[in-house]
Amino acid sequence: MFRTPCPSCGAEVLFRSTISAIAVCEYCQSTVLRDADEVRDIGKIGKVLEDYSPIQIGASGVFVGRAFTVIGRIQLRYEAGLWNEWYISFDDGRSGWLADTSGQYMITLPLAESVGERQTALSFEVLKPEMRYEHGGRVFVVTDARTAQCVGGQGELPFIVGNGYEAKVIDCRSGDRFLTIDFSDITPEKPNPALYVGETVELKALQMQLLRSDEEIQQSAGRLKGTANVLDCPSCGNQLQYRAGVATQIVCAACGSEVDCSGDRALILTRHTEAERYHATLDVGDAATIDGVKWSVIGLIEMVEVEDADSHWTEYLLFNWQRGFFWLVETSEGWYRAQVLNQLPESWSDTHATLNGERYGKLYDQYAAKVLYAAGAFNWRVSVGDQLQLWEYDYQGKRLSREKSATEVVWSQAEKVSNAQIATWFGKAEIKTLESDEVAPDQRRLAWRYTIWLLAINLPLVLLSDDVFDALFWTGLAAYMLHWPLNKDAEE
């Protein structure tokens, strides 16, 4: 352990690890470089945005039987949001990274080798989502390809980083295994990207100690956590409610403007003056109790199929401090509870997918969907007009969804939830599906028109028939058959 006064402000700067190249002064944000016995100030780095993460510098855990301590963090911003990379030091002197994004965690360790000679021609621009990349006899699939900028840092770090540092990274997966190809530090002297391998993890499995408590998260200095912060939309003046630290991107329900709240003030990203409010069964701020855990709806998105404007659905983002995020999806077929998967299926094609040995058959052909409307807060940027390619699969009522954009591919698993269960969770008297709200009225109007027409034709026959009972029975049965499907939908 090495202690030194900050060359800028004089406060004590601590180097816990012998392999750390820099440390960020927590008082003045100066980046302190240690070079042999000399230390010097090489500029300032931005403060990290305190968020909902329970991880903090000094927290410790165990990964694959090896104890580690969190000693630093960099915060990276990409076009749609932020994520944390926590620098961890193992007791045996080695180091790695604990990625923290949207309540999902991955540990990656650097490989001594870089990309082999046969791959030296590989470029960042070539790798796209769902391309295959082979390493160590294992085939990985590209799931994420993006460029990000470092916007903040704290603690110790293994390399010089500051505001403007650009990270070009490709994330790949194979089952629950993780591979990162890092093109950030390509130079003529070092033409090959660096490799990091690891796996997705649960904090509980890491036996983490000294994590931040809910109270500490909610009362962190500089940001109010866990309370509904209120600010005015810079575009229209409407009040925006959000949970600071949980979400950085807000869509104003009044004017549709996209507002970034990750800095010291709210900034308009995009204005959507023609955004139309539609009927949502749930709304931002609605609270639910599910299996004894309290959840809040913090954002909602209406999606529509590009080639079929009548096919649309609503996705609700729910959040809990300890459990993170999950989705409720409202469709014309009913409600579904969806969770983003931490692992890829074993195999997939346009016709089927296999996950944990279960073969899911094709439910719907590939189709394009776009964001029609959004409101509330999100931990990434949601824009009206964003488009995705989707594939859906089914196995005994369970669904797999494959969503692909230009920069990433995401898999999620969903199970159906009854209207009655949704109503119970949210404490509402009644919950309906989109179909019963929007389609049934037109169908009911048409059914009554045919019923009147049917009675007009058959009434004279009833009055003149020798068997009035039979005539009334068959006329009533025909009218009932017209209305039965609609009544059944209403009951559901």
Side-chain angles (χ1 to χ4, degrees), residues 139-158:
V139 177
F140 289 82
V141 177
V142 175
T143 56
D144 194 287
R146 66 178 76 253
T147 300
Q149 285 74 40
C150 175
V151 294
Q154 64 179 146
E156 300 169 56
L157 296 168

Side-chain angles (χ1 to χ4, degrees), residues 51-162:
D51 56 18
Y52 57 86
S53 176
I55 302 173
Q56 63 181 340
I57 291 178
S60 61
V62 178
F63 177 66
V64 194
R66 298 163 59 195
F68 67 85
T69 302
V70 178
I71 62 173
R73 166 166 61 158
I74 58 174
Q75 199 164 68
L76 297 158
R77 175 193 292 276
Y78 62 106
E79 60 185 12
L82 296 171
W83 87 89
N84 297 308
E85 291 281 354
W86 298 91
Y87 184 46
I88 58 177
S89 175
F90 290 93
D91 286 356
D92 60 9
R94 298 182 183 181
S95 62
W97 293 92
L98 172 56
D100 170 10
T101 174
S102 301
Q104 293 184 307
Y105 304 93
M106 289 78 68
I107 281 187
T108 54
L109 308 175
L111 288 177
E113 59 175 302
S114 60
V115 175
E117 290 185 6
R118 68 184 181 87
Q119 298 286 3
T120 54
L122 190 68
S123 69
F124 175 77
E125 290 73 22
V126 167
L127 293 170
K128 303 295 181 185
E130 292 201 315
M131 287 183 65
R132 264 55 175 175
Y133 180 84
E134 185 176 346
H135 174 75
R138 188 165 190 159
V139 177
F140 289 82
V141 177
V142 175
T143 56
D144 194 287
R146 66 178 76 253
T147 300
Q149 285 74 40
C150 175
V151 294
Q154 64 179 146
E156 300 169 56
L157 296 168
F159 48 78
I160 297 174
V161 60

Side-chain angles (χ1 to χ4, degrees), residues 61-335:
V62 178
F63 177 66
V64 194
R66 298 163 59 195
F68 67 85
T69 302
V70 178
I71 62 173
R73 166 166 61 158
I74 58 174
Q75 199 164 68
L76 297 158
R77 175 193 292 276
Y78 62 106
E79 60 185 12
L82 296 171
W83 87 89
N84 297 308
E85 291 281 354
W86 298 91
Y87 184 46
I88 58 177
S89 175
F90 290 93
D91 286 356
D92 60 9
R94 298 182 183 181
S95 62
W97 293 92
L98 172 56
D100 170 10
T101 174
S102 301
Q104 293 184 307
Y105 304 93
M106 289 78 68
I107 281 187
T108 54
L109 308 175
L111 288 177
E113 59 175 302
S114 60
V115 175
E117 290 185 6
R118 68 184 181 87
Q119 298 286 3
T120 54
L122 190 68
S123 69
F124 175 77
E125 290 73 22
V126 167
L127 293 170
K128 303 295 181 185
E130 292 201 315
M131 287 183 65
R132 264 55 175 175
Y133 180 84
E134 185 176 346
H135 174 75
R138 188 165 190 159
V139 177
F140 289 82
V141 177
V142 175
T143 56
D144 194 287
R146 66 178 76 253
T147 300
Q149 285 74 40
C150 175
V151 294
Q154 64 179 146
E156 300 169 56
L157 296 168
F159 48 78
I160 297 174
V161 60
N163 289 336
Y165 175 84
E166 188 172 74
K168 291 185 174 182
V169 291
I170 305 291
D171 289 335
C172 311
R173 296 197 184 208
S174 177
D176 63 350
R177 297 301 301 275
F178 207 80
L179 173 71
T180 294
I181 310 172
D182 190 348
F183 291 83
S184 304
D185 297 317
I186 298 295
T187 64
E189 296 75 26
K190 184 186 173 185
N192 297 333
L195 292 181
Y196 297 83
V197 294
E199 60 187 65
T200 57
V201 293
E202 299 284 344
L203 288 187
K204 189 167 48 177
L206 294 177
Q207 306 171 45
M208 295 289 289
Q209 303 292 320
L210 301 179
L211 293 174
R212 293 198 298 168
S213 66
D214 287 352
E215 291 75 19
E216 289 174 312
I217 294 174
Q218 295 173 21
Q219 297 173 8
S220 292
R223 304 289 292 187
L224 295 176
K225 308 289 187 184
T227 58
N229 286 14
V230 178
L231 56 85
D232 292 337
C233 173
S235 179
C236 69
N238 180 58
Q239 284 192 340
L240 303 174
Q241 290 194 349
Y242 72 108
R243 291 186 180 276
V246 173
T248 58
Q249 312 293 315
I250 305 175
V251 181
C252 176
C255 68
S257 293
E258 297 166 22
V259 182
D260 181 274
C261 298
S262 61
D264 295 331
R265 59 193 180 92
L267 299 175
I268 297 174
L269 298 174
T270 306
R271 288 183 172 90
H272 295 287
T273 56
E274 297 180 0
E276 294 182 359
R277 174 69 183 183
Y278 74 104
H279 170 68
T281 302
L282 304 176
D283 208 346
V284 175
D286 281 356
T289 301
I290 304 173
D291 299 329
V293 178
K294 293 184 178 180
W295 298 83
S296 296
V297 176
I298 64 171
L300 61 88
I301 304 170
E302 183 182 22
M303 301 291 296
V304 63
E305 193 171 338
V306 172
E307 296 184 357
D308 183 4
D310 292 330
S311 176
H312 64 99
W313 61 96
T314 307
E315 301 178 356
Y316 302 92
L317 179 61
L318 280 76
F319 176 78
N320 170 271
W321 284 109
Q322 295 180 332
R323 304 294 182 89
F325 303 88
F326 86 90
W327 293 90
L328 283 177
V329 184
E330 179 185 10
T331 76
S332 60
E333 300 172 357
W335 289 79

